[in-house]
Amino acid sequence: MSHAKTPEFHTIVVGGGMVGAALAAELAQSGHRVALVEVQPPGAFDPGGDHDLRVSAINRAAQRVFQSLGAWEGMMALRAHPYQAMEVWDAAGSGRIRFEARDLAEPDLGHIIENRVVQRALWDRLEQDPMVEIIAPDTLMGLDVRRSHAEITLASGRRLKALLVVGADGARSRLRELAGIRVNSRYYGQQALVATVRTALPHEDTAWQRFLSTGPLAFLPLGDGRCSIVWSADDARAEELRDLNDEAFCQALADGLDYRLGQVLETSRRAAFPLRGSQAEHYVRPRVALVGDAAHTIHPLAGQGANLGFQDAHALVSAVCAPGVTDAGELRVLRRYERARRGDNLIMMRSMEGFRYLFGSEQPPLAALRGLGLNLAHQVTPLKHLLMRHALGLGEHRT
Ligand SMILES: Cc1cc2nc3c(=O)[nH]c(=O)nc-3n(C[C@H](O)[C@H](O)[C@H](O)COP(=O)(O)OP(=O)(O)OC[C@H]3O[C@@H](n4cnc5c(N)ncnc54)[C@H](O)[C@@H]3O)c2cc1C
């Protein structure tokens, strides 16, 4: 790659969470000199230790990116669990849909992986890459955009120059704020409770999700036979659930899943996350781009937030490392990334809101409609396969 008057880095990535770490690795692999700034670097991972409460369903598209980066084996070696099926049903109606990997001749439908495992494996890869300088712990404090480059100031006092600065610094992105990019954000009036639980019946390597009128409850299968649960509930219900003692919480969980996995025998501690849908008004400015939660957040009901972030990272690398591009921070180049991702992310956010509305209603016509929709999708093979391919992140055509 040739660059006219390149400052010390081609790209600075602010935020080394799952998405920022993936982006830094992809950029470096494509020939960029990258600085990665992270305020809270990940610690060592102890495979003998307990599961973390934050896990993600990682889809095939993200898996392929990690494979191409040489980070996938590391994730598998640390801790990950493939799931073979997904079953979704409606508490208020008769609707039910089940997806099986074997229907698509796929080895699995995805993997349940702790967020810290994804991040650790990517950092292991980055720490060995001569194209990457990791600057951590340090914090972004200031941004100065010039015609030929951008300069950032860190809490340590260090200043860094690059053609492009990317904000992968999460939902409360400081870079977004410094760049003057506004964000449209809406509180959903729901919180997601997460915990690790043991059930009486085996999870059958299946991701289970039941739509309750107060929000969806998901049981995601882990390698030690337990499940990671994500219970998105309206504020009032979430408060009630938070205040229950462990025994009563286990009872509520078993009841919430309609005893599909029998009684819930034990639970870890719980954590709760307020749920917001948000979209940055712009993903790019001259010499600035946003990816992952810094650009958008969605309801976790389809487990897509991080997967969308990995697609952002991949699309940004495709735009700024395309043949003939000499200035990665040029607005014309960055707009290609924005065009590729913002519409798709918005559609995904709205679809999740539509699902939430449709399944949150107890009105008989809506309950009947969703029952019809789920059962139809379950029985009409091409439609079901289309939905499965979408969930895998593979699009309509085999890739
Ligand atoms: C309950 C729940 C369940 C979910 N389940 C799934 C799922 O199954 N599948 C899925 O794909 N997604 C899921 N998501 C969404 C997913 O967790 C997020 O989309 C993802 O974690 C976003 O990653 P990120 O790297 O963009 O941001 P973050 O994880 O927020 O990382 C941002 C990083 O930037 C650093 N940082 C912040 N500010 C600064 C600064 N000023 N200077 C330097 N560094 C900074 C932070 O320390 C952090 O490491 C779920 C979300 C929730 C709430």
Side-chain angles (χ1 to χ4, degrees):
M1 178 185 313
S2 72
H3 291 271
K5 31 189 180 343
T6 312
E8 56 184 324
F9 297 106
H10 294 111
T11 310
I12 299 166
V13 179
V14 181
M18 294 192 286
V19 174
L23 173 67
E26 274 203 81
L27 285 167
Q29 194 178 50
S30 301
H32 271 215
R33 269 182 290 111
V34 181
L36 178 69
V37 181
E38 168 58 51
V39 61
Q40 214 178 356
F45 178 76
D46 171 14
D50 201 5
H51 276 83
D52 194 50
L53 296 184
R54 295 301 309 271
V55 307
S56 295
I58 297 296
N59 69 15
R60 186 77 75 246
Q63 175 183 340
R64 286 183 181 165
V65 170
F66 298 149
Q67 279 168 333
S68 78
L69 291 171
W72 182 247
E73 279 184 11
M75 287 174 207
M76 295 301 103
L78 293 178
R79 193 156 62 197
H81 190 67
Y83 59 102
Q84 306 300 331
M86 186 192 302
E87 189 159 328
V88 177
W89 73 109
D90 184 7
S94 58
R96 170 185 168 274
I97 188 163
R98 185 176 170 88
F99 301 107
E100 306 233 5
R102 62 172 174 236
D103 291 347
L104 272 187
E106 288 284 337
D108 53 64
L109 288 182
H111 288 73
I112 308 298
I113 315 184
E114 289 156 83
N115 293 3
R116 62 178 178 171
V117 164
V118 174
Q119 187 192 20
R120 182 67 259 167
L122 288 164
W123 274 60
D124 287 345
R125 153 82 178 70
L126 291 168
E127 282 165 3
Q128 297 182 13
D129 194 324
M131 298 293 279
V132 180
E133 183 179 344
I134 295 179
I135 302 168
D138 214 333
T139 313
L140 171 73
M141 299 301 282
L143 169 74
D144 184 11
V145 176
R146 304 279 175 85
R147 245 172 75 85
S148 61
H149 66 274
E151 185 170 322
I152 65 163
T153 315
L154 303 179
S156 61
R158 191 167 166 190
R159 288 164 170 269
L160 307 172
K161 284 183 191 167
L163 293 171
L164 171 66
V165 184
V166 184
D169 48 349
R172 295 200 200 158
S173 170
R174 179 100 170 99
L175 185 76
R176 188 179 67 212
E177 187 187 316
L178 290 169
I181 300 176
R182 286 194 305 200
V183 61
N184 297 319
S185 176
R186 187 147 69 94
Y187 181 52
Y188 287 142
Q190 285 197 333
Q191 297 171 38
L193 265 80
V194 296
T196 309
V197 305
R198 186 173 299 286
T199 54
L201 300 176
H203 55 47
E204 299 169 19
D205 295 331
T206 298
W208 308 91
Q209 179 149 266
R210 185 169 185 235
F211 279 94
L212 304 162
S213 62
T214 49
L217 167 62
F219 278 57
L220 307 173
L222 299 175
D224 66 359
R226 292 187 297 165
C227 291
S228 172
I229 66 104
V230 183
W231 195 341
S232 305
D234 293 344
D235 281 332
R237 179 66 175 141
E239 298 299 334
E240 276 173 25
L241 292 169
R242 276 171 68 160
D243 291 345
L244 294 177
N245 64 29
D246 281 0
E247 198 185 333
F249 184 60
C250 287
Q251 185 58 48
L253 277 169
D255 195 51
L257 202 71
D258 202 20
Y259 299 90
R260 186 62 189 75
L261 298 179
Q263 293 291 348
V264 174
L265 305 175
E266 62 180 47
T267 176
S268 68
R269 67 181 178 87
R270 288 155 246 172
F273 300 89
L275 299 179
R276 307 189 77 86
S278 62
Q279 278 289 333
E281 282 189 359
H282 304 275
Y283 283 11
V284 300
R285 284 280 194 231
R287 311 222 162 272
V288 171
L290 303 174
V291 293
D293 276 19
H296 49 79
T297 59
I298 63 168
H299 197 286
L301 69 86
Q304 288 296 332
N307 289 308
L308 295 180
F310 299 130
Q311 285 182 46
D312 293 347
H314 193 63
L316 180 60
V317 176
S318 299
V320 302
C321 298
V325 172
T326 54
D327 183 351
E330 227 186 316
L331 190 57
R332 185 178 56 87
V333 172
L334 296 175
R335 284 220 168 105
R336 284 184 212 143
Y337 155 65
E338 185 175 60
R339 277 198 298 275
R341 295 299 307 150
R342 194 162 182 279
D344 276 9
N345 288 336
L346 201 61
I347 289 170
M348 182 64 90
M349 184 177 93
R350 294 277 182 254
S351 313
M352 294 307 111
E353 288 173 358
F355 265 115
R356 202 174 67 81
Y357 172 73
L358 189 63
F359 282 93
S361 172
E362 280 173 330
Q363 288 175 27
L366 280 182
L369 182 69
R370 64 187 184 235
L372 193 71
L374 279 181
N375 291 330
L376 192 73
H378 184 65
Q379 282 156 23
V380 179
T381 306
L383 176 59
K384 190 167 155 184
H385 285 184
L386 192 72
L387 288 171
M388 283 171 74
R389 298 194 66 74
H390 201 75
L392 283 160
L394 298 178
E396 290 175 34
H397 305 289
R398 188 166 280 274
T399 45

